[in-house]
Amino acid sequence: MSRICEGRVVVVTGAGRGLGRAHALAFAAAGAQVVVNDLGVGLDGTPAADSPARRVADEIRAAGGEAIAHGGDVATSTGAGSLVAAAVETYGRLDTLVNNAGFLRDRMLVNLDEDDWDAVVRVHLKGHFLPLKHAAAHWRAEAKAGRTPTARVVNTSSGAGLLGSLGQGNYSAAKAGIVGLTLVAAAELARYGVQVNAIAPAARTRMTERAFAASMAAPDTGFDAMAPENVSPLVVWLGSATSAGVTGRVFEAEGGRITVMEGWRAGPTVDKGARWTPEEAGETALKLLGEAEVPGAVYGG
């Protein structure tokens, strides 16, 4: 087993189940000390009685690794701050932050309540921003003290954030926002020794089990293309020191496939050098669209 994260301290949010659990276990197997964060809520964000973070931390320790559980709400400044503090106070440092926490409240736009919009944007987008903010403040202080870190952040976007997904306006908007946050953080934090990237994973979890059924495992090879564990190797590499020089990028990961996603770039353009009339603008826009690449289809469309 590769130990490319030997001695690193890694925080994973939403690590009680699914992708987050797979990431936490993979980092521990790669030698990291892991802070397993999970609020323990249901699929829609409502409170649940169990503590999945504690179970995953116990699982890591039973396998000979080092881990602690953290049950704070990372979409609050107090919870996010205590998460970073837990890593530093327990292990003396923080090297990698993996933002993964989230849940779904799917509705078509005309049926989407304001509360469902706010709740999903809060946990996904604010739940990325606040841990990143507190971790960045720690790493900035370290850099200013002459201890420039080899720090890594891996954010979790989605194909829904890159292409859109019917019935998921709140989720798609939040996941698109995470890509924008990733690009800004990568540019702002580079001076402090921090690299920031994002993944857009496709895997079978509580949020996607209806879309990705267990029956998708290939019977001839035994390879389950939708297992969340398939995504974790890329996340572990991005969270390690060996990913030096890779920042501000978005990767799609599914089964045995890894894709570098290429975002908005300037395509066909015309500059008149003067103001257009509406008719001229429309005629020109149609001409440019005829020369441009056709965007990918919205999921479910």
Side-chain angles (χ1 to χ4, degrees), residues 151-238:
R152 305 286 186 262
V153 178
V154 184
N155 291 329
T156 306
S157 183
S158 168
L162 303 176
L163 296 175
S165 179
L166 293 184
Q168 294 189 312
N170 48 4
Y171 178 75
S172 297
K175 289 303 191 182
I178 287 168
V179 172
L181 177 64
T182 298
L183 301 180
V184 172
E188 290 186 355
L189 302 181
R191 71 188 73 179
Y192 305 126
V194 184
Q195 293 183 182
V196 187
N197 294 285
I199 60 164
R204 187 178 55 256
T205 68
R206 286 195 304 168
M207 295 200 303
T208 62
E209 59 187 356
R210 292 180 182 177
F212 303 134
S215 60
M216 292 184 71
D220 52 341
T221 65
F223 176 58
D224 182 356
M226 290 295 105
E229 290 78 11
N230 299 330
V231 177
S232 299
L234 175 61
V235 176
V236 169
W237 180 77
L238 288 171

Side-chain angles (χ1 to χ4, degrees), residues 43-141:
L43 179 58
D44 64 352
T46 55
D50 59 353
S51 175
R54 185 174 63 248
R55 290 200 303 270
V56 174
D58 289 345
E59 188 176 356
I60 289 172
R61 289 192 292 266
E66 295 186 57
I68 61 169
H70 180 274
D73 183 355
V74 295
T76 68
S77 187
T78 298
S82 70
L83 177 60
V84 171
V88 175
E89 291 169 5
T90 304
Y91 298 119
R93 57 188 296 127
L94 172 62
D95 299 292
T96 298
L97 168 65
V98 179
N99 283 314
N100 172 76
F103 57 73
L104 295 177
R105 293 189 185 178
D106 293 351
R107 299 283 190 280
M108 300 301 281
L109 286 173
V110 295
N111 297 320
L112 183 61
D113 292 335
E114 185 178 353
D115 288 346
D116 292 333
W117 173 276
D118 289 344
V120 169
V121 171
R122 174 186 181 274
V123 71
H124 286 279
L125 189 50
K126 192 175 181 182
H128 271 62
F129 159 64
L130 287 173
L132 175 56
K133 172 184 170 69
H134 285 276
H138 167 72
W139 288 323
R140 181 182 63 177

